């Protein structure tokens, strides 16, 4: 039991104290308050009784390591049961004694001004006076935490709590952190980590002496061997869920896949995380495999499993990919949610196309991707029925990202079921209009629907029998991607223009967001071409107020 364990621990502590007291007159012990009564007077405990308690316990070699302290982790808010409410405030009270209240109010006023709030010197003086008055009323010698907080809220924050919430962390908890000298670090894992960041020239991003105003960043050119190793190391940390570095999108001028940009944000928790890891393993790669296996529970999402596979390859982590592929194969067989399967399959197809990667069975990954693709094709006509607008948009966005990649696959066993599924979406009357139109557009783009079959579809969906919101959603699905269909298909352009002109004035404003989403992805030059076509003399509507409003709204959508 826990009580028996504590008895053994305290007996062992006393035995160690007796051993060291033979050669030292005084000893300092760093121990939790719970154990202090058992150590205050060692002579009052029987040495023979302690030996009996210890006898029979197994010995084990251990490594001790100092862990850096921080105010954030000493605070009770971190979950530390023996923590305090406000380490920064208590430090000020310890250092400045009776004048601590004035010091803390002045510092709080400075923090508020830094956040953009107006705090005058007279308001700070009023806060000090109020805190003293509250202390007097409560028969206290000096203002305590509650008195200072109430005075700050009433005067510095003008009775509002929201401004103080912006600075609560800095004012009450603070950001002071400690540091352990490298020569005192005994954990092999931490030593390996520090050696690797030094050899990869990442040391300056780790444990900065002062917080930086600008997020540190580093660009990698993966054609350089050192940068390749650096990228693999940073991907390994991401795989282990250490959020020290985040990979950003490639810049406009460096769109090639051989470029990576990483942003670094160091936090004391990262160092604590390292110390905790050091108690579990001696090597980073061994620990990474252990952490991966721990999180592959039955409830772990398929998409995250596939993300793990991708990061495992990017991190060049050996000894785990075959096991991960088996996990993906098992999980994919029981998952029927399109929003899970579609992005996962796209990633699998990409991974299978990487080329020769150590330990990567490309055929096994390709087989899983093709099985999932077959499942997508069979589920698509059924899972797109009777959807609400939000779910249809999520599925529309996922499928729109998936389709270009599938279109690039020449194999007939991939293309044929995909085209059949798209036709099923078009002909199923209960398919959401956005998805039905999207499927129609996909078939048009690969010349699988002739013009004479296309016209009845847009005449039916642009007719007045449908609600304007349904028609707007159908247009959003149809006009996604390239604007060429609307620009150069005269019959469609005329039908869309007539539909917009006939929408009731009270409804037009409600569908503007849908039209905005439709046109937002077009290039500015394409939007301007549409506007020029709309403003041709033969396309000008009657000059009613509603027509002027529509023209004004469309002009902003297409020319801004």
């Amino acid at each position: 039991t826990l009580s028996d364990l504590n008895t053994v621990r305290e007996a062992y502590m006393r035995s160690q104290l007796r051993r060291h007291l033979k050669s030292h007159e005084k000893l300092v012990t760093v121990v939790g308050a719970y154990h202090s009564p058992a150590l205050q007077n060692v002579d009052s405990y029987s040495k023979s009784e302690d030996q009996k308690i210890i006898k029979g316990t197994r010995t084990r070699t251990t490594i001790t390591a100092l862990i850096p302290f921080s105010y954030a982790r000493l605070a009770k808010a971190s979950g530390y049961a023996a923590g305090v409410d406000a380490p920064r405030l208590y430090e000020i009270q310890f250092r400045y004694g009776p004048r601590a209240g004035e010091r803390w109010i002045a510092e709080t006023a400075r923090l508020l001004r830094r956040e953009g709030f107006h705090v005058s010197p007279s308001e700070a003086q009023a806060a000090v006076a109020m805190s003293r008055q509250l202390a007097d009323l409560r028969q206290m010698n000096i203002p305590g935490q509650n008195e200072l907080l109430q005075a700050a809220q009433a005067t510095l924050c003008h009775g509002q709590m929201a401004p103080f919430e912006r600075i609560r962390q800095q004012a009450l908890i603070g950001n002071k952190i400690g540091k352990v000298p490298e020569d005192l670090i005994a954990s092999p894992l931490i030593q390996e980590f520090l050696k690797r960041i030094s050899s990869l020239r990442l040391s300056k991003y780790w444990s900065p002496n002062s917080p930086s105003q600008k997020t540190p960043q580093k660009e990698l050119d993966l054609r350089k061997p050192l940068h390749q190793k650096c990228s693999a190391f940073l991907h390994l940390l991401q795989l282990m869920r250490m959020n020290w570095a985040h990979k950003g999108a490639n810049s406009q001028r460096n769109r090639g896949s051989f470029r990576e940009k990483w942003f670094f944000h160091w936090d004391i928790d990262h160092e604590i995380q390292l110390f905790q890891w050091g108690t579990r393993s001696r090597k980073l790669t061994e620990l990474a495999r252990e952490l991966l296996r721990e999180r592959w529970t039955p409830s772990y999402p398929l998409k995250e499993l596939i993300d793990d596979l991708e990061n495992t390859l990017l991190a060049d982590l050996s000894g785990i990919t075959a096991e991960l592929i088996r996990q993906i194969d098992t999980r994919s067989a029981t998952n029927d949610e399109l929003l899970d399967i579609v992005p996962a399959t796209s990633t699998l197809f990409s991974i299978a196309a990487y080329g020769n990667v150590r330990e990567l069975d490309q055929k096994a990954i390709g087989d899983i991707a093709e099985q999932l693709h077959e499942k997508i094709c069979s589920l698509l006509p059924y899972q797109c029925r009777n959807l609400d607008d939000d779910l249809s948009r999520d599925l529309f966005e996922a499928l729109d990202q998936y389709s270009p990649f599938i279109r690039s696959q020449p194999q007939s066993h991939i293309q044929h079921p995909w085209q059949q599924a798209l036709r099923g979406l078009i002909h199923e009357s209960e398919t959401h209009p956005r998805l039905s139109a999207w499927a129609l557009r996909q078939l048009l783009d690969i010349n699988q629907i002739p013009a004479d079959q296309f016209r009845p579809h847009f005449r039916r969906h642009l007719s007045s029998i449908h609600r304007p919101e349904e028609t707007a959603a159908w247009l959003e699905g149809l006009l996604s991607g390239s604007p060429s269909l609307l620009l150069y298909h005269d019959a469609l352009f005329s039908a869309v223009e007539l539909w917009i002109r006939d929408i009731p004035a009270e409804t037009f404003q409600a569908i503007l967001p849908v039209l905005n989403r439709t046109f937002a992805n077009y290039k500015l030059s394409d939007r301007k071409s549409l506007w020029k076509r709309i403003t041709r003399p033969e396309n000008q509507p009657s000059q009613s107020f509603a027509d002027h409003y529509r023209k004004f709204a469309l002009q902003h959508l297409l020319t801004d």
Side-chain angles (χ1 to χ4, degrees):
T1 65
L2 184 59
S3 177
D4 294 337
L5 177 61
N6 281 327
T7 302
V8 174
R9 291 172 66 187
E10 290 171 351
Y12 181 77
M13 291 179 197
R14 287 191 295 269
S15 70
Q16 293 300 306
L17 286 174
R18 290 189 189 98
R19 183 165 67 87
H20 288 289
L21 282 168
K22 292 178 181 179
S23 55
H24 298 82
E25 291 185 7
K26 293 183 178 181
L27 292 176
V28 174
T29 61
V30 181
V31 65
Y34 179 84
H35 296 292
S36 57
L39 307 179
Q40 281 180 345
N41 190 355
V42 176
D43 292 335
S44 64
Y45 291 87
S46 169
K47 180 179 178 181
S48 60
E49 285 296 323
D50 283 347
Q51 291 298 326
K52 286 181 182 179
I53 294 171
I54 299 170
K55 187 177 180 180
T57 55
R58 291 183 297 174
T59 59
R60 180 179 294 175
T61 303
T62 60
I63 298 173
T64 57
L66 296 176
I67 297 178
F69 90 104
S70 73
Y71 277 1
R73 294 186 71 85
L74 287 175
K76 192 177 293 183
S78 70
Y80 177 39
V84 295
D85 290 334
R88 174 58 182 156
L89 172 58
Y90 298 161
E91 178 198 2
I92 292 173
Q93 289 176 330
F94 178 79
R95 292 178 61 186
Y96 297 99
R99 302 187 65 84
E102 301 169 23
R103 181 80 183 191
W104 186 83
I105 290 290
E107 187 172 297
T108 302
R110 188 161 51 249
L111 291 171
L112 286 168
R113 283 194 290 267
R114 194 180 300 164
E115 289 292 323
F117 298 104
H118 175 73
V119 180
S120 67
S122 62
E123 288 171 335
Q125 291 172 350
V128 172
M130 180 178 287
S131 67
R132 289 174 178 169
Q133 291 166 0
L134 288 171
D136 290 340
L137 287 171
R138 295 165 185 173
Q139 299 180 349
M140 301 171 66
N141 292 329
I142 60 174
Q145 179 178 336
N146 288 336
E147 290 69 37
L148 291 170
L149 283 174
Q150 290 167 6
Q153 179 183 353
T155 56
L156 305 183
C157 302
H158 307 286
Q160 303 296 318
M161 204 57 195
F164 186 78
E165 291 299 326
R166 294 272 293 274
I167 63 162
R168 174 180 289 274
Q169 172 75 22
Q170 301 170 71
L172 293 181
I173 296 177
N175 52 15
K176 186 169 285 189
I177 55 176
K179 186 172 178 62
V180 178
E182 290 188 14
D183 58 340
L184 294 180
I185 295 175
S187 166
L189 184 139
I190 299 177
Q191 290 174 345
E192 179 198 349
F193 178 86
L194 294 175
K195 285 178 183 176
R196 290 186 72 172
I197 65 171
S198 177
S199 65
L200 296 171
R201 300 174 188 173
L202 297 172
S203 300
K204 67 179 181 180
Y205 304 109
W206 179 257
S207 188
N209 293 324
S210 59
S212 174
Q213 296 297 320
K214 187 178 180 182
T215 303
Q217 56 184 268
K218 183 178 179 67
E219 282 202 20
L220 300 180
D221 184 345
L222 301 184
R223 295 169 295 184
K224 300 177 181 178
L226 181 66
H227 285 200
Q228 286 180 12
K229 293 178 181 178
C230 186
S231 174
F233 175 67
L234 295 176
H235 278 104
L236 179 68
L237 295 183
Q238 283 203 326
L239 198 61
M240 298 169 73
R241 305 284 171 87
M242 177 186 272
N243 298 319
W244 171 43
H246 297 272
K247 186 165 67 171
N250 289 333
S251 61
Q252 193 67 25
R253 59 185 178 85
N254 294 325
R255 301 184 71 87
S257 60
F258 56 84
R259 295 275 186 182
E260 286 181 358
K261 181 181 283 189
W262 290 84
F263 298 89
F264 296 85
H265 174 72
W266 184 84
D267 188 276
I268 184 64
D269 284 343
H270 299 144
E271 199 159 339
I272 301 297
Q273 193 173 24
L274 266 184
F275 278 95
Q276 291 170 338
W277 284 348
T279 65
R280 299 185 54 173
S281 179
R282 300 176 64 88
K283 295 184 70 64
L284 282 167
T285 52
E286 291 175 359
L287 179 63
R289 287 189 284 269
E290 185 181 334
L291 292 173
L292 280 171
R293 292 184 179 109
E294 282 180 2
R295 69 178 183 239
W296 292 341
T297 62
S299 61
Y300 195 65
L302 174 64
K303 178 65 171 65
E304 293 193 29
L305 268 176
I306 293 172
D307 288 342
D308 284 346
L309 175 60
E310 188 171 26
N311 281 322
T312 297
L313 300 175
L314 294 171
D316 200 20
L317 180 63
S318 60
I320 197 74
T321 51
E323 184 179 342
L324 183 46
I325 290 171
R326 287 196 298 273
Q327 287 273 351
I328 293 170
D329 192 16
T330 303
R331 193 70 51 81
S332 63
T334 58
N335 194 320
D336 288 337
E337 290 295 327
L338 280 178
L339 282 175
D340 292 335
I341 300 174
V342 169
T345 309
S346 180
T347 305
L348 280 176
F349 272 125
S350 299
I351 293 172
Y354 275 168
N356 291 326
V357 179
R358 179 165 53 86
E359 280 201 290
L360 175 61
D361 187 344
Q362 286 176 271
K363 185 178 185 305
I365 294 178
D367 288 345
I368 297 173
E370 290 180 9
Q371 290 170 18
L372 284 175
H373 175 71
E374 186 177 342
K375 180 180 283 191
I376 290 170
C377 294
S378 63
L379 292 174
L380 204 55
Y382 304 101
Q383 291 201 12
C384 293
R385 296 175 178 175
N386 302 316
L387 300 180
D388 62 35
D389 197 63
D390 289 338
L391 187 55
S392 78
R393 179 169 288 108
D394 291 340
L395 198 50
F396 163 71
E397 291 172 357
L399 290 169
D400 206 39
Q401 293 175 7
Y402 181 65
S403 178
F405 188 83
I406 296 303
R407 200 181 303 165
S408 67
Q409 305 294 309
Q411 301 95 322
S412 60
H413 65 280
I414 291 178
Q415 291 296 331
H416 181 69
W418 178 244
Q419 292 172 15
Q420 288 296 107
L422 294 177
R423 288 190 178 91
L425 289 181
I426 294 171
H427 298 300
E428 173 57 57
S429 61
E430 294 179 344
T431 301
H432 192 280
R434 182 180 288 106
L435 296 170
S436 175
W438 172 83
L440 181 64
R441 175 61 184 264
Q442 301 305 306
L443 292 171
L444 276 170
D445 287 345
I446 56 175
N447 299 316
Q448 290 297 309
I449 287 191
D452 59 338
Q453 292 183 21
F454 168 62
R455 289 190 182 93
H457 285 287
F458 75 73
R459 285 174 183 161
R460 175 162 56 90
H461 283 281
L462 292 179
S463 67
S464 58
I465 63 171
H466 297 284
R467 290 183 299 147
E469 313 88 75
E470 293 178 351
T471 304
W474 188 84
L475 275 175
E476 184 183 3
L478 182 71
L479 301 179
S480 63
S482 169
S484 58
L485 186 67
L486 187 57
L487 273 170
Y488 303 113
H489 196 298
D490 294 336
L492 176 61
F493 181 88
S494 300
V496 170
E497 186 180 36
L498 184 63
W499 170 74
I500 291 176
R501 192 184 307 171
D502 291 341
I503 295 174
E506 64 275 9
T507 309
F508 182 76
Q509 191 166 358
I511 67 163
L512 272 177
V514 180
L515 294 176
N516 186 39
R517 280 194 299 269
T518 302
F519 298 131
N521 294 324
Y522 292 174
K523 295 178 182 177
L524 181 59
S525 58
D526 291 329
R527 297 204 304 269
K528 287 184 175 179
S529 297
L530 279 173
W531 178 244
K532 286 181 181 176
R533 180 161 187 179
I534 289 171
T535 54
R536 287 178 188 171
E538 64 270 21
N539 294 329
Q540 291 304 301
S542 61
Q543 299 302 306
S544 66
F545 175 79
D547 290 329
H548 278 298
Y549 175 70
R550 289 187 180 88
K551 185 176 179 181
F552 173 79
L554 288 173
Q555 183 177 7
H556 278 275
L557 288 180
L558 295 171
T559 60
D560 287 351

